[in-house]
Amino acid sequence: ELKVEQNPLFLSMQEGKNYTIYCNYSTTSDRLYWYRQDPGKSLESLFVLLSNGAVKQEGRLMASLDTKARLSTLHITAAVHDLSATYFCAVDTPGGSEKLVFGKGTKLTVNP
Amino acid sequence: SAVISQKPSRDICQRGTSLTIQCQVDSQVTMMFWYRQQPGQSLTLIATANQGSEATYESGFVIDKFPISRPNLTFSTLTVSNMSPEDSSIYLCSVGASNEQYFGPGTRLTVT
């Protein structure tokens, strides 16, 4: 059974600081996703990582994937208040079924 | 990409009643997925809906409680039957396209 663990679950940061969110998963997968969710809203796709060593960046967020370690990271650079949200990683179940197993999410609060 | 709409966006229902949630996609897709997000929690897959066949349910979810229809390649419904307060959640429809998984805006259900 595929399990996805995220940490930390809660993260309070000051503006301008850097931090990393970690996502570990238990079995081989074809794809790893990062989503952002604002309160009361649906999921916004941030990144899709397809292969070992993949790195994607958008603004102050950078995601990477190490399939051998079954680990993905979401790095936040010079945080700003607008990044406050809950971030989820999700992993495709083996076999390309498109069914996703989600981590518990990281609630990020960026303080001025 | 895929644009997904859901109806209703929110509802407040009495226990013991049923609610049918609609999901419409702007393109034809083979599989549609229904997820549940309980308050303050992550997302859990309820079932996969394929056109022309019975939906496939995940462990812990049964057809009698969550009947699903998939009459064509752009539309699906999820019914939450005989509701109890524990069914209060956000229900999200999802589809895959171009190596991404897209989510609808969600239906926020409150059962009193």
Side-chain angles (χ1 to χ4, degrees), chain A residues 39-103:
Chain A
K41 304 290 187 182
S42 185
L43 299 180
E44 174 191 352
S45 178
L46 296 174
F47 303 107
V48 182
L49 302 171
L50 302 177
S51 60
N52 188 43
V55 177
K56 291 192 174 181
Q57 183 164 5
E58 182 73 34
R60 300 175 187 274
L61 301 178
M62 183 174 71
S64 66
L65 178 62
D66 181 344
T67 58
K68 293 178 182 177
R70 296 179 187 150
L71 170 68
S72 179
T73 60
L74 181 66
H75 187 72
I76 303 158
T77 301
V80 293
H81 180 69
D82 285 352
L83 288 179
S84 298
T86 299
Y87 294 84
F88 291 97
C89 68
V91 179
D92 245 352
T93 51
S97 67
E98 298 185 359
K99 300 180 186 181
L100 298 187
V101 176
F102 281 79

Side-chain angles (χ1 to χ4, degrees), chain B residues 4 12-14 17 25 35 42 47 58 66 78-79 103 111:
Chain B
I4 304 171
I12 301 173
C13 300
Q14 300 276 351
T17 63
V25 188
Y35 288 83
S42 185
E58 299 300 308
F66 298 102
L78 170 77
T79 299
F103 285 82
V111 183

Side-chain angles (χ1 to χ4, degrees), chain A residues 31 35 37 42 45 99-100 103, chain B residues 35 37 42 99-101 104:
Chain A
R31 298 190 186 101
Y35 292 94
Q37 187 177 41
S42 185
S45 178
K99 300 180 186 181
L100 298 187
Chain B
Y35 288 83
Q37 186 176 27
S42 185
N99 283 329
E100 295 246 14
Q101 287 291 315

Side-chain angles (χ1 to χ4, degrees), chain B residues 31-89:
Chain B
M31 292 185 285
M32 296 176 76
F33 303 90
W34 286 99
Y35 288 83
R36 180 177 75 179
Q37 186 176 27
Q38 294 178 301
Q41 304 296 314
S42 185
L43 282 78
T44 301
L45 180 64
I46 298 172
T48 303
N50 292 320
Q51 196 266 336
S53 64
E54 292 287 328
T56 304
Y57 290 83
E58 299 300 308
S59 176
F61 298 96
V62 294
I63 187 171
D64 290 346
K65 177 67 176 177
F66 298 102
I68 287 171
S69 78
R70 182 78 199 274
N72 58 52
L73 291 173
T74 62
F75 186 80
S76 177
T77 67
L78 170 77
T79 299
V80 186
S81 303
N82 188 24
M83 288 184 284
S84 66
E86 292 70 36
D87 294 319
S88 297
S89 298

